[in-house]
Amino acid sequence: MITIYHNPRCSKSRAGVEYLESKGKEFEIIKYLDQNLSEEELKDLIKKLGIKPIDLVRKNEAIWKENYKDKDLSDDEIIQAMAENPKLIERPIIVNGDKAVIARPTEKIDEVL
């Protein structure tokens, strides 16, 4: 089953949903701002993405700039920050089995289909 971690207020995230629909794919939507992700779920996503935790952070968010930007944080501290502040998580994330991508640009979704 394909899963999209989605923020309906984000145009890139809405484009990801539309892209999956245009491909005729069945998928599950997780509104991660409503259903906070645990640190374990974030670690699993990061592993599937094949990236470092810092690469999943939206560094232009005010929360990041005000509270974390100039600190020397460990990977676990970055993951904890995202678990506590889901607005910091890049979006949309598309997961298919053990593969995942941050769908920016939207066509990156093809990498996991």
Side-chain angles (χ1 to χ4, degrees), residues 14 31 36 41 63 71 77 83 86 88 98 104:
R14 290 191 307 270
K31 295 180 182 176
N36 284 13
E41 288 170 311
I63 295 166
K71 295 183 179 174
E77 289 169 323
L88 292 176
D98 61 354
R104 291 176 170 259

Side-chain angles (χ1 to χ4, degrees), residues 33-93:
L33 293 177
D34 298 337
Q35 305 166 242
N36 284 13
L37 300 176
S38 70
E39 290 181 34
E40 287 306 312
E41 288 170 311
L42 283 166
K43 286 178 184 177
D44 186 54
L45 269 179
I46 290 163
K47 182 179 176 187
K48 288 177 180 178
L49 287 163
I51 61 174
K52 294 187 178 298
I54 192 67
D55 297 327
L56 190 55
V57 172
R58 295 174 53 84
K59 295 168 199 73
N60 287 325
E61 285 290 334
I63 295 166
W64 181 260
K65 289 179 179 177
E66 294 166 10
N67 300 301
Y68 303 104
K69 182 180 176 190
D70 295 319
K71 295 183 179 174
D72 185 21
L73 301 173
S74 69
D75 286 352
D76 285 341
E77 289 169 323
I78 293 167
I79 290 167
Q80 181 180 0
M82 287 188 285
E84 293 171 0
N85 304 283
K87 283 180 87 174
L88 292 176
I89 301 169
E90 276 288 0
R91 58 188 178 251
I93 301 168

Side-chain angles (χ1 to χ4, degrees), residues 45 48-50 93-102 111-112:
L45 269 179
K48 288 177 180 178
L49 287 163
I93 301 168
I94 314 299
V95 179
N96 189 4
D98 61 354
K99 298 182 292 184
V101 293
I102 299 170
E111 295 176 17
V112 297

